[in-house]
Every structure is written in C-alpha cells, then in structure tokens.
Amino acid sequence: MTVNEMQQEIVRLKAETDTAILVHSYQTHDIAEIADFIGDSYKLSVDAKNLSQKNILFCGVHFMAETAKMLSPEKRVFLAAKGAGCPMAEQLTAEYISSLRAEEPDRTVVAYINTTASLKAVCDVCVTSSSAVQIVKALENDKILFIPDCNLGSFVKKNVPEKDIRLVQGGCPVHAAMTVEDVKRAKTEHPDALFLVHPECKPEVTEMADYAGSTSGIIAFAKKSDAQEFIIGTELSIAEHLKYECPDKKFYPLSKGLICPDMKLTTLPDVYSALIGIRDGGAFEIEMDDEQIAKSVKCINEMIRLGG
Ligand code: 13P
Ligand code: SF4
C-alpha cells in the first residue's frame, strides 16, 4: 500500500469505527494529514472534551491519551503505539510529592501535564507550556511547588517573579540536551533567523530566544511573523510542519538531535493497525477505573477553568 492509499484507508476506517484521531504536533506530517485534531497538549485536552465520536485514537504519548480518557470517560480511548511514554511523566512518584507536601503544606502543587495520572491525583492544578505562566499568575496562593520540569518551572519563575516558586529536579531529556553552543552555532549559520524555543529547554538556552512558547505557540508565531527565517528549538516535527504551512519561509532545527524517540514510535502503519484493532479487537486501550479518574481529573479541570 502506498502512503496515499494507507491514508485513504485510515479515513475510511475512522468513519467505519466512529473514531476521532487526536495528533500531537510532534508526530510526522503523514500522520498530521489524517488528524481530526492536531495541536499542543492544552489544545488537545480541550478538543478531547468536546468530541462527538465514540472512540478516540491518540497519536502521541501515554499521558496525553490518559488525559483524553479522564476528560471523556464514557469514550474508549486508544494509543496508536503501545510503548510510547514520556520519560519526564514518570520521573517523580506520588509518595515523593506527598512528602514534599507534608514538609510545606502551604504550597499549591502545580503539575506540568506531562505527568502520570497517579501523580496528577496528588496535585492541585495542571498546566501546559502554553498556560503555565497565566495559571500560576491566576492562583490565589503566592507559594507554589512546581513539578516535574525545573526548566519550564524556571521560565514560570522568571515570568511570575512576584510568587515564591519551589522547583524540583526533573525535565525533558530531549530539550534539556540543548546547549548555548548549539544556539550560537545555529545563529552563526543563520544570522538573519529568529530563534523560537520551547521552555522545556534550559533557562540559558530559552533566554537567547526571540520567542518561547508551546508547540502551537511556536507554529503560530512563525506563521504570523514578517521574518523569513527561523531556528526552531523544539522537536524536529515542528520545523517539518512549518515547511509545509509556510513554503516561502525557511526553518532550521536548532539541532538534529531534537528527536523525541517516544513521539517517533508512532508510524502511519501503526495508526492503520490501531484502527483495524478498534474494529476487530486488539488495539491498545487506556483503562482507568472511576475512582482513579475522579482523583486525577480534578487538576485537569482546574487547568481548563483557569486557562480557558
Ligand atoms: P506542548 O504542550 O507544547 O505541546 O508540549 C508537549 C511536550 O511534550 C513538549 O515536549
Ligand atoms: Fe516527553 Fe520530552 Fe518527548 Fe515531550 S519531547 S514527550 S517532554 S520526552
């Protein structure tokens, strides 16, 4: 089957199985083309809440599909690549957060959405990279514990200096590997390019950027900007999508090393097989009981209430 034929089959199977396909922007272009919804973690959470289809197939990583399940418990939610997890989501345990809470019970615990459901269950509010600054500002409490990404946490601290924000040691191995030298090299090679970055990068890298924001924020900035060239400091797929969306502009990845191996586990044939599995049985389904959902969804709902 050619890529085109497989995409057509996927579109047919989506309708046959009454499935909506949600795609994170770190997926490849051939998957983006068959998406019902594509975007950053925040947009996909909101999209998941308002779907008419009875099944959701998520192309992304496990915590994203889990979030979709929490927001649409009456639907069956499937993940296209069973092994796709986010290493950051599993860096901390609920026991560790509970011990920090016991140490400083007056702090509001803010969890990046890149966390497991069991971690979300012991936090007060979730944030995504697009909503973190706005939500932390909106919280009544001035004392915050921000988990698990200390780089995104530093970005929030810088933008909300009036609050006392405690960080923990955690983060994204893909973004945290970017260095000041990578930025200097890219700027030397492309002196006219603006530098757009995801705030999961280290603070010294993010500080060199002309714009820092979520994957959707970076795409929107590049599309709107009058500039013609951009260095993209996040996963390679963002530069790939932008090349299709703005064929007259030039996009350079900050480094060829910006590949999230987990996001790249999903291929177009996986999406096709998952839809066959939804129809005939065998697709990887996210299973959560009502009690787990009730405990974990509170901080997602709080995020949507404060960030929407
Ligand atoms: P976004 O919320 O910007 O899509 O980021 C998700 C993510 O995993 C970034 O590494
Ligand atoms: Fe997780 Fe980093 Fe991959 Fe995003 S890029 S899913 S934070 S490992």
Side-chain angles (χ1 to χ4, degrees), residues 26 61 63 86-88 114 172-175 200 235 260 262-263:
Y26 287 165
V61 290
F63 79 84
C86 165
M88 167 158 39
N114 297 40
C172 164
V174 180
H175 288 85
E200 285 177 10
E235 222 276 348
C260 174
D262 283 271
M263 283 286 182

Side-chain angles (χ1 to χ4, degrees), residues 15-27:
E16 186 189 332
T17 57
D18 195 20
T19 301
I21 301 189
L22 268 57
V23 172
H24 186 264
S25 7
Y26 287 165
Q27 299 290 301

